[in-house]
Amino acid sequence: KAGSPQDQDEQAKMMELYMKMAKPGKQHQELSQLVGKWNVEMTSHCTPGTPMTSKGSTTFETILGGRFVVQRLKADIGDGMTMEGFQILGYDNVNKEYVGVWLDNWSTGIHASSGQTDENGQVCMKGLMKDVMTPEGRPFRSVQKQAGNDKFTIELHDTKDGKEFKMMDMVYTRVKP
């Protein structure tokens, strides 16, 4: 019957498990090392020929008790155009994988991705990019490589005609206080 000592024990065990899985861990602490202000240099490889370069800045902050980091990016991409982006990145203790969503002013969609750390310590994430050209979605992948506490890179890979290509390199350098 409801409220019996056995039911209360089961409920207490369930709550203990929920609390354990909700607690930030090692991966969350590693993500929190991104907190701060960064300069970003981007090189786009979207079209054949000379890559397009642009510069911007971004900030990272933790939210929800250190469970996620939020990135706010703004870049001048030339010809008077600005790109603004917003990312939420975290680690899902239940599924044991990194998770992220990206939004920007170049679309009205949300791009979700998830992934693991590879043997080199790089965070590799995959997802489906849906846009006006491929509303059904096409595979994309990102690779984040740490280069010490004050520098990291992100490679973005897209897919065209079933073949993957490097779409963009982003180099993040921490702004010293």
Side-chain angles (χ1 to χ4, degrees):
K1 67 181 169 174
S4 73
Q6 184 180 359
D7 288 343
Q8 290 174 358
D9 284 348
E10 286 180 24
Q11 190 174 15
K13 287 178 185 176
M14 183 178 68
M15 185 55 75
E16 183 180 331
L17 183 57
Y18 270 99
M19 296 304 288
K20 178 182 176 187
M21 296 312 288
K23 185 177 178 185
K26 175 185 167 227
Q27 292 84 357
H28 302 94
Q29 291 170 353
E30 290 170 356
L31 288 172
S32 73
Q33 293 173 10
L34 297 173
V35 169
K37 295 181 181 188
W38 300 77
N39 290 320
V40 184
E41 293 183 26
M42 298 179 285
T43 304
S44 173
H45 308 279
C46 292
T47 56
T50 306
M52 184 176 85
T53 60
S54 55
K55 293 184 179 189
S57 61
T58 191
T59 59
F60 286 89
E61 65 181 277
T62 59
I63 61 170
L64 302 175
R67 289 166 178 81
F68 298 91
V69 293
V70 173
Q71 174 185 193
R72 288 179 173 84
L73 174 94
K74 189 170 187 179
D76 174 7
I77 57 172
D79 294 330
M81 294 188 296
T82 300
M83 183 186 83
E84 293 182 55
F86 180 87
Q87 180 186 39
I88 300 174
L89 184 61
Y91 184 80
D92 183 336
N93 289 333
V94 174
N95 293 314
K96 297 183 178 13
E97 65 182 356
Y98 288 91
V99 292
V101 293
W102 174 263
L103 304 88
D104 60 42
N105 65 328
W106 284 69
S107 73
T108 56
I110 297 175
H111 305 291
S113 60
S114 62
Q116 303 290 330
T117 303
D118 70 8
E119 64 278 355
N120 298 316
Q122 303 170 139
V123 177
C124 302
M125 298 178 66
K126 296 179 179 182
L128 279 181
M129 180 158 326
K130 297 179 181 184
D131 62 17
V132 68
M133 300 306 291
T134 51
E136 70 281 0
R138 65 186 185 278
F140 77 92
R141 157 177 94 87
S142 67
V143 179
Q144 181 174 328
K145 302 175 186 177
Q146 281 302 127
N149 292 329
D150 297 327
K151 189 172 187 176
F152 69 94
T153 62
I154 296 178
E155 292 178 2
L156 296 175
H157 300 264
D158 200 350
T159 304
K160 184 174 183 176
D161 300 324
K163 295 183 181 176
E164 183 182 272
F165 69 97
K166 188 190 304 187
M167 178 178 71
M168 184 179 290
D169 286 303
M170 302 174 77
V171 178
Y172 290 73
T173 306
R174 189 182 300 274
V175 174
K176 297 292 184 180

